[in-house]
Each structure stands twice: as C-alpha cells, then as structure tokens.
Amino acid sequence: EAQVTQNPRYLITVTGKKLTVTCSQNMNHEYMSWYRQDPGLGLRQIYYSMNVEVTDKGDVPEGYKVSRKEKRNFPLILESPSPNQTSLYFCASSLRHSSYEQYFGPGTRLTVT
Amino acid sequence: SQQGEEDPQALSIQEGENATMNCSYKTSINNLQWYRQNSGRGLVHLILIRSNEREKHSGRLRVTLDTSKKSSSLLITASRAADTASYFCATLSNDYKLSFGAGTTVTVRA
C-alpha cells in the first residue's frame, strides 16, 4: 500500500531533550516536506527536500533540523525542544515537487513540557 | 506565510444539503489544491485546479477558480455524515511555494 509513515505518533518529552521524528514513504517520491499544525494557523512548512541531499527552509525552520540521506526517509530533528514546539507535525511527499498532490502521513502529536 | 484564507471558519449543515466554502489568496498562483482532514488525522488530497482552469469536478466535489478575484470555491453536493471534516485550500505560488490556509470545519448533521 502506498503510504507515508511517521513515528512516533505521540510523544511527550521535556525541554532540551533531543528527539527525532521519522518519516518514510514507499512511493519513490522525490519531494518531501515537514509541516506543523497549530490551532487557527493552518499548516506551516518547516523544511522541504527536492531530492536526496537537497533540503531547504520553509516558513518556520527555527529549532528544527532535517536530513535526506535516502530518497524514502526524511527525519525531523529537534536538537533542544522547547514548549513552543508543542504541536501536531505532518510529513508529506509528492512525486516531484510541490505542484503535485501531496501525500500526508498520519501525524505526530508532540508535547514538550 | 499563510496565503490562502478559507471562509467561513465553520459550517454546519443537514445531511443531503450542499456545502460551499471559499478560499481567497493574495498573490498569483500556479495551482490551487483542496485537502480534507478528518479529526486529528493526515490531510487527504481532494482536487487540484491549475491557474488556467476555471472549474473542475470530482464525484460530488466541484471546484471553481477565479484568478481575477483571487478566489476559489469548493462545493460538496448532497453531503453525508462522512463529509464531516476540516477542508483546507493550498495555493502554489509561481516559485513553487505551497501555502495552506487555516481551514473550514464542516459538520454534517444527521
């Protein structure tokens, strides 16, 4: 089944404790991206990647890192999480770039205390 | 930056009625996409309309685009309980930046 998977789905952590949210797609998509969703603000893009080893900042990249060593994986790293990063995070992928339909993962609900 | 803005923020309708929501945006676009999100889940792509198209249909969905007014509308006909969800428009700028609005929450009452 074609899908985007994210792990973990739920995470409660403390300020400053490094964490990684994994994202994987099995559709051979070139384009992958991370969004955060907060009430009343819609989805805001954190980082995106046009292909392996090519990443770029979205609208809200501060406090996040990404890497794209393999085509299928695009992990999101929070080196020192803070409470304002409490949010619902989505990974998405598409065939080539953002002009194609986006396939979204199920989401990761992160709480930073 | 949030380019698309949906209106209304929330909509409650009876099963069988039509639901219409609008999306307005500020700058020129390459295409506009509509997505559905069921509570707490990932977004699902519904329909994509290109800047040179005026109307598209997919099943019970009808999307219009008026580039002169910088607006789009999504119509869901003969709504069902399963249509209860949040609906988002996403605008793609000419430099391939995809921006989502805050969404319209639709509740379909039985």
Side-chain angles (χ1 to χ4, degrees):
Chain A
E1 181 192 351
Q3 60 183 348
V4 178
T5 57
Q6 293 179 229
N7 282 292
R9 295 288 315 280
Y10 301 91
L11 180 60
I12 300 175
T13 190
V14 296
T15 300
K17 185 176 181 184
K18 181 179 178 179
L19 66 92
T20 299
V21 184
T22 64
C23 172
S24 183
Q25 49 92 6
N26 62 0
M27 295 170 279
N28 202 35
H29 284 172
E30 291 183 359
Y31 183 90
M32 297 185 75
S33 59
W34 276 102
Y35 293 87
R36 61 177 289 173
Q37 184 177 30
D38 302 289
L41 295 178
L43 275 78
R44 294 178 292 167
Q45 193 179 57
I46 303 170
Y47 269 95
Y48 64 94
S49 169
M50 298 288 280
N51 213 326
V52 176
E53 301 292 1
V54 181
T55 62
D56 211 343
K57 296 177 181 177
D59 295 319
V60 288
E62 295 78 21
Y64 305 94
K65 281 176 60 177
V66 292
S67 68
R68 186 96 181 270
K69 296 192 173 80
E70 305 164 283
K71 199 170 188 179
R72 63 183 293 131
N73 296 324
F74 190 44
L76 179 70
I77 302 154
L78 284 72
E79 295 264 359
S80 183
S82 62
N84 65 11
Q85 293 179 297
T86 292
S87 188
L88 181 56
Y89 290 87
F90 290 101
C91 179
S93 72
S94 66
L95 185 62
R96 289 229 172 72
H97 47 67
S98 49
S99 67
Y100 291 78
E101 65 175 277
Q102 305 291 305
Y103 290 79
F104 281 82
T108 295
R109 187 166 292 280
L110 172 66
T111 302
V112 183
T113 62
Chain B
S1 62
Q2 187 174 310
Q3 152 122 280
E5 288 190 13
E6 293 91 344
D7 173 64
Q9 289 187 342
L11 183 58
S12 179
I13 55 173
Q14 203 74 30
E15 205 165 20
E17 293 180 338
N18 295 343
T20 300
M21 60 211 85
N22 303 296
C23 172
S24 59
Y25 56 91
K26 297 187 177 72
T27 59
S28 296
I29 61 169
N30 180 297
N31 71 43
L32 187 145
Q33 304 172 30
W34 284 93
Y35 289 81
R36 183 187 73 231
Q37 182 183 34
N38 291 93
S39 181
R41 304 187 67 173
L43 280 72
V44 174
H45 182 265
L46 295 176
I47 200 162
L48 181 154
I49 186 165
R50 301 187 195 287
S51 59
N52 61 354
E53 297 175 312
R54 291 298 165 256
E55 189 171 313
K56 274 189 104 165
H57 297 255
S58 176
R60 294 183 295 111
L61 305 180
R62 174 178 167 249
V63 168
T64 62
L65 179 64
D66 186 336
T67 53
S68 67
K69 294 182 180 176
K70 291 187 169 60
S71 69
S72 172
S73 68
L74 171 66
L75 167 68
I76 305 172
T77 59
S79 61
R80 306 166 181 168
D83 295 327
T84 294
S86 292
Y87 293 81
F88 295 86
C89 72
T91 53
L92 183 76
S93 66
N94 290 324
D95 60 354
Y96 295 106
K97 184 164 177 52
L98 190 65
S99 300
F100 286 81
T104 292
T105 300
V106 175
T107 303
V108 181
R109 306 186 306 274

